[in-house]
């Protein structure tokens, strides 16, 4: 049986990204760039992703387009965890036309400016999200039996002074809740 890859993350709203950025630089985290991400979310004609807790998006960055499917959230990890499947596409616009022809409908758009850092197997995203504010995400892509990922994420959060209530909602859900 194939092993399921899971995105396990801690997302926290923060007042300022500066102290977290400084902590990452002090730890010699690898800076992996800053980019604008424009995400367009779709709903399926045969089921409502809002009801099934799934997501399908086309993400545009400065350099490429990426299609992502996210499965329903898995609560047993204590943080936000879900299956995530990604594939780059040559043309996001053509892929969006394919989705439209198949009956998929646009549900929302999310714009964010993201700074990416890496320490070992852990990714850190410092996000400024249109209409929502500033957030930090600490993420590990883990195998379905990697129980240490949650502990490692929580340890990094404490060491870096990232505190606050974990946000289990996606940016899509947060934006939809402000409408």
């Amino acid at each position: 049986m194939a092993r399921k890859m899971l995105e396990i993350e801690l997302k926290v709203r923060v007042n300022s990204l500066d102290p977290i950025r400084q902590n990452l630089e002090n730890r010699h985290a690898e800076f992996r760039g800053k980019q604008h991400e424009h995400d367009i979310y779709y709903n399926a004609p045969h089921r409502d992703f809002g009801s099934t807790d799934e997501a399908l998006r086309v993400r545009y960055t400065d350099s490429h387009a990426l299609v992502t499917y996210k499965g329903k959230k898995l609560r047993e990890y204590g943080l936000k965890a879900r299956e995530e499947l990604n594939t780059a596409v040559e043309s996001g616009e053509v892929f969006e036309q394919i989705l439209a022809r198949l009956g998929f409908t646009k549900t929302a758009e999310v714009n964010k400016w993201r700074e990416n850092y890496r320490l070992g197997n852990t990714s850190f995203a410092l996000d400024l999200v249109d209409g929502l504010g500033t957030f930090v995400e600490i993420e590990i892509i883990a195998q379905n039996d990697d129980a240490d990922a949650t502990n490692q994420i929580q340890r990094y959060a404490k060491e870096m002074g990232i505190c606050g209530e974990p946000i289990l909602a996606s940016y899509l859900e947060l934006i939809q809740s402000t409408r």
Side-chain angles (χ1 to χ4, degrees):
M1 184 167 151
R3 298 171 68 87
K4 187 183 291 188
M5 298 304 290
L6 298 175
E7 169 196 55
I8 301 174
E9 76 175 30
L10 169 66
K11 180 188 308 177
V12 177
R13 185 184 303 269
V14 295
N15 292 327
S16 174
L17 298 172
D18 293 335
I20 291 105
R21 184 182 301 111
Q22 188 62 54
N23 282 336
L24 287 164
E25 290 170 1
N26 290 345
R27 291 174 161 268
H28 306 288
E30 176 189 358
F31 177 65
R32 299 188 118 189
K34 183 175 183 174
Q35 65 187 12
H36 173 244
E37 296 179 349
H38 179 168
D39 296 341
I40 302 174
Y41 287 86
Y42 282 86
N43 203 3
H46 59 289
R47 66 178 181 259
D48 177 17
F49 289 157
S51 298
T52 61
D53 195 25
E54 297 169 283
L56 177 66
R57 75 168 180 232
V58 178
R59 170 173 285 168
Y60 294 93
T61 68
D62 301 330
S63 61
H64 66 278
L66 183 71
V67 175
T68 301
Y69 164 80
K70 293 188 177 210
K72 70 179 191 166
K73 294 180 198 84
L74 306 169
R75 305 291 180 193
E76 63 266 24
Y77 291 88
L79 299 175
K80 189 171 105 177
R82 62 195 326 180
E83 179 183 28
E84 180 174 312
L85 303 171
N86 296 293
T87 190
V89 292
E90 186 174 319
S91 170
E93 292 84 1
V94 170
F95 190 80
E96 286 191 75
Q97 288 177 1
I98 292 168
L99 289 175
R101 302 290 193 283
L102 295 173
F104 285 72
T105 55
K106 288 183 185 181
T107 57
E109 295 187 33
V110 176
N111 278 292
K112 70 176 168 272
W113 290 262
R114 172 170 275 183
E115 294 175 52
N116 292 295
Y117 292 86
R118 187 140 186 102
L119 276 173
N121 69 336
T122 307
S123 298
F124 296 81
L126 283 55
D127 292 339
L128 171 60
V129 183
D130 267 358
L132 294 177
T134 51
F135 300 82
V136 174
E137 291 184 2
I138 305 173
E139 174 182 301
I140 294 176
I141 302 297
Q143 299 291 331
N144 52 353
D145 60 354
D146 187 350
D148 188 52
T150 299
N151 293 332
Q152 184 175 336
I153 289 169
Q154 291 172 330
R155 185 175 65 250
Y156 270 134
K158 184 176 180 181
E159 291 172 4
M160 302 252 181
I162 301 168
C163 56
E165 191 65 30
I167 298 171
L168 300 181
S170 67
Y171 291 132
L172 169 65
E173 292 166 321
L174 292 173
I175 284 177
Q176 288 177 327
S177 71
T178 64
R179 291 182 182 166

